[in-house]
Each structure stands twice: as structure tokens, then as C-alpha cells.
Amino acid sequence: MTLHSGIDNEPNLQRYASIRFATKEDMNILGRFGADLMQLHHDWDSSRFISPGPYTPSMYANHLCSQLGKSDVMVLVAEVEGTAVGYAYAAVEGHDYMALRGPAGVIHDVFVDAGQRRKGVGRMLLAAAVRTLGAMGATQVVLSTAHRNGAAQRLFASQGFEPTMIEMTKQLAR
């Protein structure tokens, strides 16, 4: 099923890429994308973010596959000419007392393959995720982004997201 991304005023984006719900057949490529996402974070800050290992793509694929069909979770795929080029993973979650927030839609991952970035695919994934979370009952959507990921922060801000928390890390001597 193809989803409308919620970007009505940019029909060229809709002709370029489409957004749909993920299936089990997508898991190999989504596992690789998950490992690529981990690698990006590790490259930005290797003391904070774990690096992917040889089993990361299959472990990531297994995790995303385990989420398919849950009524409070979505895994979306962006396609260009029938090829998956990105994904979003999000869920409607209850109170999180560690994060000091009430129920919310939580976007865990938004990833676009390097060769497809800066073409509007991430914006389409984000819009579709937000719209679908709203349809699932979320009245607030939260997400996190790596401190050094300025491109993602600009995208999120352009879509109405505002900073509310700053994670701070201190490395301890061993």
C-alpha cells in the first residue's frame, strides 16, 4: 500500500519517490540501512555511538521484522523506481518517565541511502511518519538526532520540530 506523504505542494517529490509500509521482503535492505545508520552515528562520535559489526544488518533486519504488524508501530519504506532507498521506523508509545514525557509518537529512525540524499526523500519519509503517527492517535511526535547531524536537524526544524532536550555525555577514565 502506497502512502501519501503529506507533501501536497510538492508533486515532483511524489513523482520521484513513493512511501509504503515495509514488508518482510524489505528486511535485507532495511537491515543494511540500519547498519549504515549506526555507522554514520559512530563516525560522528565513536566514543558515544556503537559501531556496527558483521551481524548488525541481520540483527537490525530481525528487529524491524519483529515490529511488522504491530498496531502501534510502523516501518515505512521510500522507493525510487521500485528500489528501496530509505526507511522510517516509529511507534506510538506510552508515558516515558525517564524522558519526562507523556504518550507520544516516537520516530526512532529516518534514513536515506547516501546516493538519494538532498532530493526530498527524507522529507517525504518524515511527513509520512508524522501523518501516520497522527492517524494512530499520537498528539505529539518526538525524535532525537545526533548533535553533529546538522542536515537532519535542519530537516526536522523545517517540518516544525523544535529542540526540547539536549543529551550530554562525559567519558570516564578507565
Side-chain angles (χ1 to χ4, degrees):
M1 169 204 243
T2 301
L3 297 173
H4 172 53
S5 69
I7 303 177
D8 293 321
N9 60 346
E10 299 189 46
N12 289 335
L13 286 179
Q14 291 178 352
R15 283 194 291 265
Y16 178 71
S18 61
I19 309 295
R20 62 173 174 76
F21 289 105
T23 66
K24 288 182 181 181
E25 290 75 29
D26 297 310
M27 291 304 117
N28 285 338
I29 188 70
L30 297 191
R32 184 175 64 80
F33 287 163
D36 290 348
L37 179 64
M38 286 179 67
Q39 186 65 55
L40 276 174
H41 283 79
H42 181 72
D43 291 347
W44 283 317
D45 186 348
S46 62
S47 64
R48 163 59 178 88
F49 296 105
I50 59 175
S51 64
Y55 300 106
T56 300
S58 64
M59 290 173 19
Y60 217 100
N62 288 339
H63 173 69
L64 291 176
C65 191
S66 76
Q67 302 303 294
L68 297 179
K70 292 185 176 181
S71 63
D72 56 349
V73 177
M74 77 175 84
V75 182
L76 303 177
V77 174
E79 284 188 329
V80 173
E81 297 177 0
T83 299
V85 299
Y87 79 101
Y89 166 47
V92 175
E93 299 180 3
H95 284 85
D96 183 335
Y97 292 100
M98 293 304 295
L100 306 175
R101 66 154 177 78
V106 179
I107 297 177
H108 295 287
D109 295 348
V110 175
F111 178 83
V112 177
D113 193 50
Q116 295 295 324
R117 292 186 190 137
R118 307 217 31 91
K119 298 178 181 179
V121 176
R123 189 168 3 145
M124 288 182 72
L125 277 167
L126 182 63
V130 167
R131 191 169 145 253
T132 305
L133 287 167
M136 294 166 69
T139 59
Q140 177 183 60
V141 178
V142 298
L143 54 75
S144 297
T145 178
H147 176 69
R148 295 183 179 159
N149 191 352
Q153 293 164 25
R154 287 186 296 278
L155 167 64
F156 301 146
S158 76
Q159 299 304 300
F161 286 83
E162 299 176 347
T164 53
M165 291 288 288
I166 298 174
E167 177 187 70
M168 299 176 75
T169 303
K170 177 179 179 160
Q171 298 301 321
L172 302 177
R174 290 193 167 238

